[in-house]
Amino acid sequence: MKLLNRKLFRDIKHNWAQFMSVFLMAMLSIIVFVGLQGAWHGLQVSLNNYLNQNQLPNYWIQSQYITNNDKNKLLATQGIKKVATGTRLQVTQNDHHLIIESYQKPITSWHQIKGAKYNSQSSNGIWLNKEYAKANSIKVGDTLPVTYNSNKVNLKVKGIIQSPNHIYFTGTQDFIAPNYSNYGYAYVSPNTLYGKLGYQEQQNIVEITGKHTNFRQVSEKIFGKRLLTYYNRQTLSDISTATDRVIEIRNLSYLFSFIFVLLAILAMYTTIQRLIKSQIGEIATFKALGFSNIQIESHYASFGLIVGVLGTIVGIISISFLVCSKFAKENVFAAKLANII
């Protein structure tokens, strides 16, 4: 076996250019797999933390109208923890469209970007989503002219927010991609809704936190023919599109990793096959010297094993170095920030 081992390293040295491709493919397979896995997993953790920290509801229902009796029945349902009723309507802002919602005590904690926090007692204020405000150059303190049922009023922009309920807001179900220049969402207080906009109807939406095995059937039983829409986290496109993107990136990570591994195996196979064909005479000599088929097969299999393992180790070291460098930079930045503070 010592003879075969010396031959092994001699052949790798003499054919280093061919084995280098196997080495590189094995190294890249590890780097690509770990990189893509880290990307989708990081996105998933960040998204879940954002939704959980801002108390994203589990169900959304829109009805012709909602009564206190409906709310009590929802709260009495097994597994339901919180219920918040509100109003949703559509208004126009110049030639643009705004979905306005109003709550007395919302479940969701909206992410505050600029301005004051939502005040349910405000008499003349509107809280606008960040993307629409940016696309239309709207700032905190600006006066926003909106029209509802031919009633045109001027509302003061009190804050710029982002809501987890509309993390991938497109305006309508007909749009695949967001159109922030023409569609946006906003929140107003009940006082503004009834006093300024002149809304005269009852509340028509409800947000629900909790879990139930068949909540759709429960909602149909409670609201009956008044039920207009029912959504959960999987069916509401504003939420499901964002979560589905993470799943798509995860699937792509497995796909590209599989392709790189397959290419590494093919490169390894063709390299060893070419080596075997060029060493038929040497193989015959080994057979004459008494080496068994298993010993000879193990010898040629070792080429791919050694080069593949070396490529894998270098790939792991490379990705570890990159991760450690990133953490080191973040720690240095945090230390400098702490000193400044």
Side-chain angles (χ1 to χ4, degrees), residues 16 44 143 171 173 190 210 288 315 325 340:
W16 67 270
Q44 186 178 54
T143 299
Q173 298 288 341
S325 298
I340 292 173

Side-chain angles (χ1 to χ4, degrees), residues 225-241:
K225 295 181 178 180
R226 290 180 291 137
L227 182 65
L228 298 177
T229 61
Y230 163 88
Y231 293 108
N232 55 34
R233 292 188 180 185
Q234 288 72 42
T235 57
L236 183 63
S237 60
D238 288 5
I239 304 297
S240 61
T241 303

Side-chain angles (χ1 to χ4, degrees), residues 242-259:
T243 55
D244 289 344
R245 289 291 173 87
V246 177
I247 298 175
E248 290 174 3
I249 296 174
R250 182 195 64 185
N251 294 337
L252 285 175
S253 72
Y254 287 118
L255 175 62
F256 280 107
S257 300
F258 173 77
I259 291 174

Side-chain angles (χ1 to χ4, degrees), residues 165-228:
N165 290 341
H166 305 289
I167 194 170
Y168 194 82
F169 180 77
T170 58
T172 68
Q173 298 288 341
D174 299 330
F175 291 160
I176 299 176
N179 183 6
Y180 296 127
S181 60
N182 291 322
Y183 289 87
Y185 63 88
Y187 295 92
V188 299
S189 68
N191 292 336
T192 303
L193 180 72
Y194 294 105
K196 283 286 186 178
L197 293 175
Y199 183 77
Q200 302 295 329
E201 306 296 329
Q202 291 180 279
Q203 294 179 322
N204 58 13
I205 58 172
V206 56
E207 296 181 337
I208 302 154
T209 297
K211 290 186 178 180
H212 191 276
T213 54
N214 194 358
F215 189 70
R216 182 182 181 89
Q217 184 176 357
V218 173
S219 61
E220 290 175 350
K221 184 177 180 181
I222 293 175
F223 293 98
K225 295 181 178 180
R226 290 180 291 137
L227 182 65
L228 298 177

Side-chain angles (χ1 to χ4, degrees), residues 4 11 35 78 120 146 168 174 185 202 212 218 226 238 243 253 283 286 288 291 300 326 341:
L4 292 178
D11 288 339
Q78 184 178 4
S120 61
V146 298
Y168 194 82
D174 299 330
Y185 63 88
Q202 291 180 279
H212 191 276
V218 173
R226 290 180 291 137
D238 288 5
T243 55
S253 72
I283 294 173
F286 289 142
F291 286 94
Y300 284 98
K326 181 181 179 181
I341 295 174

